[in-house]
Amino acid sequence: MEQIHAQRGTQDILPADAGRWQTVEAVMRGEAEINGFGEIRTPVFEDTRLFQRSVGETTDVVQKEMYTFEDKGGRSVTLKPEGTAGTVRAYLEHGLSNEPMPVKLYYATPCYRYEKAQAGRLREFHQFGAEMFGAALPVADAGLIAFAHSLFERLRVKNLVLKINSIGCPACRAEFTKALRAYFTARRDRLCETCLSRLDRNPMRILDCKNPECAEVAKGAPSILNYLCPDCRAHFGQVRENLDAVGIRYEVDPTMVRGLDYYTRTVFEFVSGDLGAQSTVCGGGRYDGLVEQMGGKPTPALGFALGIERLLMIMAAQKVEFPAPQTCGLYVASVGGAAQKEAFRMAHKLRGCGVAAACDEVGRSLNAQMKYAGKIHARFTLVLGDDELASGKGTVKNMKTGEKTKVDLKADLEGQFAAISSEAEDGDLTF
Ligand code: ATP
Ligand code: MG
């Protein structure tokens, strides 16, 4: 029979790697709570129009990358390419806008984009994201950036560059768009098809084009920073002052616009040299117009999203150490049918007390059971045979040190085992 393989651009996360995922997710959840964010979980698929309206018709995501299909009821649905749109929809749908501001939400979610799959660029990937509604002050921008920054610090990721920029508000962007259109029109013969179509509708998108020739042309384009209105200029200045106040270093990158249409004012990215071509691990910014655009009342808002696969790639390249996975605490080996049942009974009882206990489930000889216990890195073993059953006495062996401790099989085994294993406690690595 033909074997079916995983889809291009998707990844299986096997137990050997799942521990890393659990570690980074636990750090993210912990940091989110410290920063006052509560978790939101939204559906994987949504009405296609949600993304068209929010992410923007002229973006790569909407023009090229969405997983869109008709369901059996004839509705156009799309697998979420990012987390902000669904979060804003849910925020409005459930009246979270009536709660005291700011409303702070985080998520960890799979995302789907039909992309050319390569290292760090998948079709199913995972984002950790945070969104904040109702906070207009520049200190909120700095606070959100500081939150993302703290995730990397906690995870011991090094050498990230934080790039920030302001892309202004619709008022200052109108003049800028005119200047950009003039600049790119004069160089239109060097632009790709997609960018030609953007020239009329949204020339700012050209600045984010991945086509090398377009990127080359974009290098000489006018800078948005020369077009900011006084309010946007002041806002950006204060974001920087707040970052300075907490010692977070950044570079101002006047060409950065980010890939989604909804951003206003502050945009930022954390970039790594350890990622190859896909260098951005986290991106975000302010999107003051989006909530209103989605049918809510005008609401300042901002957020970021961090790609978990790219984060793990950086951590692997930097050889960041992870805590050792939980291994078997006690392997209860057995010889003979009666002992096997007793081993199972003990293992079950110990598991009920939170001990990772195991017993033979495949019919191995005693010798093979002991070898297996070594392979799964069991910390302790206990052998049950006719003698042990008859005498009610057994011996727990520390597999690392070889140290042996007598136990009374008829008495409180959990208590005896707890005493043995707490004495042998080795300092575990934690984040
Ligand atoms: P890029 O410029 O690399 O295409 P983007 O601007 O499309 O990224 P965002 O929409 O800002 O990315 O998503 C936030 C983060 O999600 C990215 O910084 C990245 O870490 C991650 N990400 C985005 N697309 C992918 C993908 N196809 N595969 C893996 N991670 C991704
Ligand atoms: Mg992209």
Side-chain angles (χ1 to χ4, degrees):
M1 191 88 105
E2 190 202 347
Q3 206 181 324
I4 296 168
H5 295 284
Q7 293 287 292
R8 181 188 295 276
T10 67
Q11 272 180 352
D12 297 308
I13 296 154
L14 303 179
D17 293 323
R20 294 167 181 252
W21 282 76
Q22 288 168 7
T23 299
V24 301
E25 280 169 8
V27 167
M28 287 166 173
R29 287 177 196 284
E31 246 353 78
E33 263 159 45
I34 287 173
N35 282 275
F37 287 71
E39 184 180 10
I40 184 161
R41 302 189 187 206
T42 66
V44 159
F45 63 91
E46 298 266 5
D47 186 324
T48 298
R49 292 171 301 175
L50 180 72
F51 303 112
Q52 290 168 335
R53 273 190 215 160
S54 59
V55 175
E57 293 278 10
T58 56
T59 59
D60 270 356
V61 169
V62 170
Q63 285 189 327
K64 303 179 187 166
E65 298 170 0
M66 292 209 301
Y67 272 91
T68 299
F69 57 95
E70 222 173 69
D71 71 4
K72 287 189 167 52
R75 303 166 201 92
S76 178
V77 299
T78 296
L79 304 184
K80 58 161 95 159
E82 50 87 91
T84 305
T87 304
V88 172
R89 179 197 53 67
Y91 166 88
L92 292 173
E93 197 160 330
H94 302 287
L96 298 184
S97 49
N98 299 320
E99 296 192 357
M101 297 289 151
V103 172
K104 298 175 165 187
L105 305 169
Y106 83 89
Y107 52 79
T109 182
C111 296
Y112 300 86
R113 296 186 191 178
Y114 197 79
E115 304 214 55
K116 224 172 109 203
Q118 51 195 291
R121 192 171 291 287
L122 294 151
R123 291 182 175 174
E124 181 186 66
F125 62 99
H126 297 79
Q127 283 187 343
F128 172 82
E131 317 284 352
M132 194 168 166
F133 300 94
L137 295 184
V139 69
D141 308 47
L144 189 78
I145 292 172
F147 171 17
H149 187 265
S150 69
L151 292 174
F152 297 117
E153 288 222 308
R154 279 285 304 281
L155 291 167
R156 307 190 187 119
V157 175
K158 291 180 291 288
N159 305 332
L160 289 186
V161 176
L162 166 62
K163 294 186 175 181
I164 64 170
N165 190 23
S166 173
I167 58 171
C169 62
C172 37
R173 230 184 281 169
E175 276 306 302
F176 176 58
T177 303
K178 264 195 228 158
L180 266 189
R181 190 173 287 127
Y183 173 84
F184 284 120
T185 303
R187 293 156 184 82
R188 57 181 308 146
D189 47 320
R190 293 174 65 193
L191 299 179
C192 73
E193 282 293 308
T194 318
C195 283
L196 285 177
S197 77
R198 288 164 170 160
L199 200 47
D200 278 336
R201 295 167 71 193
N202 193 351
M204 232 169 79
R205 282 270 65 82
I206 303 175
L207 298 176
D208 199 44
C209 185
K210 299 277 187 300
N211 181 307
E213 184 69 7
C214 297
E216 193 54 39
V217 180
K219 278 187 188 156
S223 164
I224 177 77
L225 293 180
N226 297 328
Y227 290 83
L228 292 184
C229 66
D231 283 353
C232 286
R233 186 178 302 277
H235 185 96
F236 191 45
Q238 286 177 46
V239 172
R240 291 160 59 176
E241 281 168 25
N242 279 292
L243 288 174
D244 294 338
V246 292
I248 293 179
R249 291 197 302 188
Y250 54 84
E251 284 174 11
V252 175
D253 177 354
T255 63
M256 180 173 61
V257 293
R258 308 275 312 120
L260 315 174
D261 267 356
Y262 47 61
Y263 288 113
T264 52
R265 292 195 166 172
T266 316
V267 289
F268 61 91
E269 284 185 351
F270 287 86
V271 177
S272 166
D274 291 312
L275 273 177
Q278 273 52 259
S279 58
T280 304
V281 59
C282 174
R286 188 169 268 289
Y287 49 87
D288 288 344
L290 184 60
V291 173
E292 188 179 13
Q293 195 182 311
M294 301 306 287
K297 50 181 197 271
T299 309
L302 57 162
F304 71 77
L306 186 161
I308 300 181
E309 284 84 355
R310 290 190 194 173
L311 169 69
L312 288 168
M313 282 171 70
I314 301 174
M315 293 177 77
Q318 298 186 355
K319 302 199 165 46
V320 176
E321 262 188 81
F322 282 83
Q326 154 92 313
T327 53
C328 174
L330 176 67
Y331 185 86
V332 191
S334 57
V335 190
Q340 190 185 44
K341 202 188 289 164
E342 182 57 14
F344 170 59
R345 199 191 60 78
M346 277 182 185
H348 177 75
K349 189 131 192 263
L350 286 164
R351 287 171 187 154
C353 307
V355 177
C359 60
D360 180 40
E361 288 166 325
V362 299
R364 290 188 170 97
S365 68
L366 180 61
N367 217 344
Q369 288 182 51
M370 297 314 281
K371 267 198 193 145
Y372 174 74
K375 275 192 192 147
I376 62 172
H377 306 293
R379 294 179 68 206
F380 297 92
T381 54
L382 166 66
V383 179
L384 295 185
D386 292 343
D387 288 355
E388 284 78 9
L389 291 194
S391 66
K393 300 269 187 283
T395 307
V396 168
K397 180 176 170 191
N398 182 324
M399 294 295 277
K400 213 192 240 163
T401 62
E403 189 182 344
K404 290 180 177 163
T405 313
K406 292 249 180 282
V407 290
D408 182 350
L409 300 175
K410 299 225 156 48
D412 154 40
L413 190 65
E414 309 88 84
Q416 298 175 74
F417 184 68
I420 297 171
S421 72
S422 73
E423 243 172 58
E425 209 59 83
D426 22 40
D428 280 341
L429 176 70
T430 49
F431 277 93

